[in-house]
Amino acid sequence: MTITLAELNALPANEFIRILGGIYEHSPWVAEQAAAARPFASRDALAHAMQAAVDGAGEAAQLKLVRAHPELAGKAAVRGELTAESTREQSGAGLDQCSAEEFERLQSLNARYNEKFGFPFILAVRGYDRAGIIAEFARRIDNTPAQELQTCINQIHRIARFRLDDLVSG
């Protein structure tokens, strides 16, 4: 499904929120805040309004947003519990085709990362292959908690932009 920006601008707020509620994983509050800033002159303006909602939300809300994301090739993926968007993104990067060794490495990195930071590793996987994802994961595990929270928020904005561009035409 795609929708035009003009159609989005004309929707009642509850429909706007329903349609854009998954742009930021399990966080419809982002779309709710953006709805108040309509009408949008461009997709860039809409993306900026959503990003500004997250950036201005404070650390507690940002941590909740980060924690709303699934682990890469994690338990939710194995159980088939990912959102449709996350399933497409992870399978597009080949994470559904991991070798036993790659899967074990990702599970180990997920455990170490979660233990160190208290939230899942977030990466906009579009454009990455499995080896690139694992390399990025291993590189970032040495970041400080503050660096990694900001990196995750930046990656979430990239994911949101990909999702927005896929959903909204014009």
Side-chain angles (χ1 to χ4, degrees), residues 24 40 42-52 157 160-161 164-165:
Y24 282 83
F40 296 105
S42 66
R43 234 182 358 208
D44 286 344
L46 171 57
H48 179 74
M50 294 181 89
Q51 184 174 333
H157 288 320
R161 185 57 195 247
L164 193 62
D165 288 348

Side-chain angles (χ1 to χ4, degrees), residues 13-36:
N14 64 328
E15 278 299 296
F16 179 93
I17 295 163
R18 184 188 65 76
I19 290 170
L20 296 182
I23 298 295
Y24 282 83
E25 192 91 4
H26 298 294
S27 301
W29 61 269
V30 178
E32 184 178 354
Q33 288 189 22

Side-chain angles (χ1 to χ4, degrees), residues 78-93:
V78 171
R79 292 190 304 255
E81 298 173 352
L82 298 178
T83 63
E85 295 89 353
S86 287
T87 299
R88 272 192 307 276
E89 291 155 1
Q90 289 199 28
S91 64

Side-chain angles (χ1 to χ4, degrees), residues 72 89-90 92-93 95 123-129 133 155 159 162:
L72 293 179
E89 291 155 1
Q90 289 199 28
L95 290 176
L123 179 67
V125 296
R126 195 176 289 188
Y128 281 87
D129 61 10
I133 291 167
Q155 290 297 309
I159 293 165
F162 288 142

Side-chain angles (χ1 to χ4, degrees), residues 143-158:
N143 282 348
T144 67
Q147 287 171 319
E148 199 50 30
L149 177 59
Q150 187 57 59
T151 300
C152 285
I153 294 297
N154 293 342
Q155 290 297 309
I156 288 169
H157 288 320
R158 287 194 63 203

